[in-house]
Amino acid sequence: QVQLVESGGGLVQPGGSLSLSCAASGFIAGLKNMGWYRQAPGKERELVASITSDGNTNYADSVKGRFTISRDNRKTTVYLQMNSRKPEDTAVYYCNAEIRRTYTFDYNDYWGRGTQVTVSS
Protein backbone atom coordinates (compact mmCIF):
# COMPACT_ATOMS: atom_id res chain seq x y z
CA GLN A 1 0.00 0.00 0.00
CA VAL A 2 1.16 3.50 -0.83
CA GLN A 3 0.22 6.59 1.14
CA LEU A 4 0.75 10.31 0.77
CA VAL A 5 0.35 12.12 4.07
CA GLU A 6 0.10 15.90 4.09
CA SER A 7 0.69 18.20 7.01
CA GLY A 8 1.02 21.89 7.71
CA GLY A 9 -2.29 23.43 6.70
CA GLY A 10 -4.13 26.02 8.74
CA LEU A 11 -5.06 29.67 9.01
CA VAL A 12 -2.69 32.43 8.03
CA GLN A 13 -3.13 36.17 7.69
CA PRO A 14 -2.70 37.90 4.34
CA GLY A 15 0.98 38.46 3.69
CA GLY A 16 1.95 35.69 6.04
CA SER A 17 3.81 32.46 5.41
CA LEU A 18 2.92 28.82 5.73
CA SER A 19 4.61 25.61 4.73
CA LEU A 20 3.18 22.26 3.74
CA SER A 21 4.84 18.88 3.64
CA CYS A 22 3.86 15.57 2.09
CA ALA A 23 5.54 12.26 2.81
CA ALA A 24 5.22 9.22 0.59
CA SER A 25 5.39 5.84 2.28
CA GLY A 26 4.71 2.20 1.59
CA PHE A 27 5.98 -0.30 -0.94
CA ILE A 28 7.55 2.19 -3.32
CA ALA A 29 9.97 1.08 -6.01
CA GLY A 30 10.11 4.35 -7.90
CA LEU A 31 8.93 7.91 -7.51
CA LYS A 32 8.94 10.48 -10.29
CA ASN A 33 7.20 13.85 -10.24
CA MET A 34 5.71 15.20 -7.05
CA GLY A 35 3.52 18.22 -6.78
CA TRP A 36 0.85 20.26 -5.10
CA TYR A 37 -2.61 21.01 -6.42
CA ARG A 38 -5.36 23.07 -4.87
CA GLN A 39 -9.09 23.32 -5.13
CA ALA A 40 -11.07 26.32 -3.98
CA PRO A 41 -14.82 26.13 -3.35
CA GLY A 42 -16.72 26.05 -6.63
CA LYS A 43 -13.56 25.79 -8.71
CA GLU A 44 -11.68 23.01 -10.44
CA ARG A 45 -8.53 21.51 -9.01
CA GLU A 46 -5.46 23.28 -10.37
CA LEU A 47 -1.73 22.69 -10.36
CA VAL A 48 0.17 24.89 -7.92
CA ALA A 49 3.71 23.57 -8.33
CA SER A 50 5.54 20.42 -9.30
CA ILE A 51 9.07 19.06 -9.04
CA THR A 52 10.77 16.25 -10.93
CA SER A 53 13.09 13.65 -9.45
CA ASP A 54 15.95 15.73 -10.90
CA GLY A 55 14.77 18.83 -9.09
CA ASN A 56 13.27 20.72 -12.01
CA THR A 57 10.34 22.84 -10.89
CA ASN A 58 7.20 24.23 -12.45
CA TYR A 59 4.84 26.82 -10.97
CA ALA A 60 1.43 28.23 -11.73
CA ASP A 61 1.69 31.86 -12.81
CA SER A 62 -0.41 32.92 -9.83
CA VAL A 63 2.18 31.67 -7.31
CA LYS A 64 5.48 32.38 -9.08
CA GLY A 65 7.82 34.33 -6.86
CA ARG A 66 5.75 33.58 -3.76
CA PHE A 67 5.75 29.78 -3.43
CA THR A 68 8.71 27.41 -3.45
CA ILE A 69 8.53 23.65 -3.94
CA SER A 70 11.34 21.34 -2.84
CA ARG A 71 12.10 17.69 -2.10
CA ASP A 72 14.23 16.02 0.54
CA ASN A 73 17.40 14.13 -0.35
CA ARG A 74 15.62 10.80 -0.30
CA LYS A 75 13.07 12.40 -2.66
CA THR A 76 10.12 10.88 -0.84
CA THR A 77 8.95 14.07 0.84
CA VAL A 78 7.86 17.22 -0.95
CA TYR A 79 7.50 20.63 0.63
CA LEU A 80 5.67 23.79 -0.36
CA GLN A 81 6.79 27.05 1.21
CA MET A 82 4.12 29.67 0.71
CA ASN A 83 4.98 33.32 1.31
CA SER A 84 3.07 36.55 0.77
CA ARG A 85 -0.21 34.71 1.08
CA LYS A 86 -3.33 36.18 -0.52
CA PRO A 87 -6.99 35.48 0.25
CA GLU A 88 -7.32 33.85 -3.18
CA ASP A 89 -4.81 31.21 -2.05
CA THR A 90 -7.51 29.81 0.22
CA ALA A 91 -8.20 26.24 -0.86
CA VAL A 92 -7.72 22.60 -0.03
CA TYR A 93 -4.20 21.67 -1.04
CA TYR A 94 -3.54 18.17 -2.33
CA CYS A 95 -0.25 16.35 -2.68
CA ASN A 96 0.30 14.32 -5.84
CA ALA A 97 3.02 11.87 -6.82
CA GLU A 98 3.83 9.50 -9.66
CA ILE A 99 4.74 6.23 -7.96
CA ARG A 100 5.70 2.76 -9.07
CA ARG A 101 4.79 0.20 -6.48
CA THR A 102 7.12 -2.64 -5.61
CA TYR A 103 6.85 -5.61 -7.99
CA THR A 104 5.02 -3.55 -10.61
CA PHE A 105 6.15 -1.90 -13.84
CA ASP A 106 3.91 1.12 -14.27
CA TYR A 107 3.84 4.51 -12.62
CA ASN A 108 0.46 5.71 -11.35
CA ASP A 109 -0.84 8.91 -9.81
CA TYR A 110 -1.43 8.94 -6.08
CA TRP A 111 -3.14 11.66 -4.09
CA GLY A 112 -3.13 12.76 -0.50
CA ARG A 113 -6.36 13.49 1.34
CA GLY A 114 -5.84 17.23 1.24
CA THR A 115 -5.17 19.89 3.82
CA GLN A 116 -7.15 23.10 4.24
CA VAL A 117 -5.30 26.38 3.93
CA THR A 118 -7.21 29.56 4.74
CA VAL A 119 -5.88 33.06 4.24
CA SER A 120 -7.90 35.54 6.21
CA SER A 121 -7.50 38.43 8.60
Side-chain angles (χ1 to χ4, degrees):
Q1 187 176 359
V2 171
Q3 281 188 316
L4 296 178
V5 180
E6 301 127 331
S7 61
L11 175 66
V12 64
Q13 292 186 342
S17 298
L18 194 68
S19 63
L20 305 178
S21 64
C22 171
S25 63
F27 298 103
I28 298 173
L31 203 159
K32 288 186 175 178
N33 294 350
M34 299 186 78
W36 290 94
Y37 288 71
R38 67 186 181 187
Q39 187 167 19
K43 295 188 177 181
E44 294 186 353
R45 190 175 297 188
E46 63 175 359
L47 173 69
V48 176
S50 63
I51 185 167
T52 68
S53 57
D54 295 330
N56 295 315
T57 58
N58 180 48
Y59 295 93
D61 288 342
S62 59
V63 306
K64 282 181 181 177
R66 300 189 297 122
F67 291 10
T68 302
I69 189 170
S70 60
R71 285 171 80 157
D72 68 336
N73 288 336
R74 293 181 57 211
K75 301 179 181 179
T76 58
T77 300
V78 64
Y79 305 93
L80 186 68
Q81 177 65 39
M82 303 177 287
N83 298 328
S84 303
R85 299 305 307 274
K86 301 177 181 179
E88 52 263 41
D89 293 325
T90 296
V92 177
Y93 284 70
Y94 296 91
C95 177
N96 169 265
E98 294 179 273
I99 296 173
R100 180 170 66 87
R101 295 177 59 182
T102 309
Y103 305 121
T104 66
F105 297 98
D106 297 326
Y107 282 85
N108 293 290
D109 271 341
Y110 287 83
W111 293 89
R113 293 186 175 184
T115 183
Q116 177 69 46
V117 175
T118 301
V119 183
S120 176
S121 56

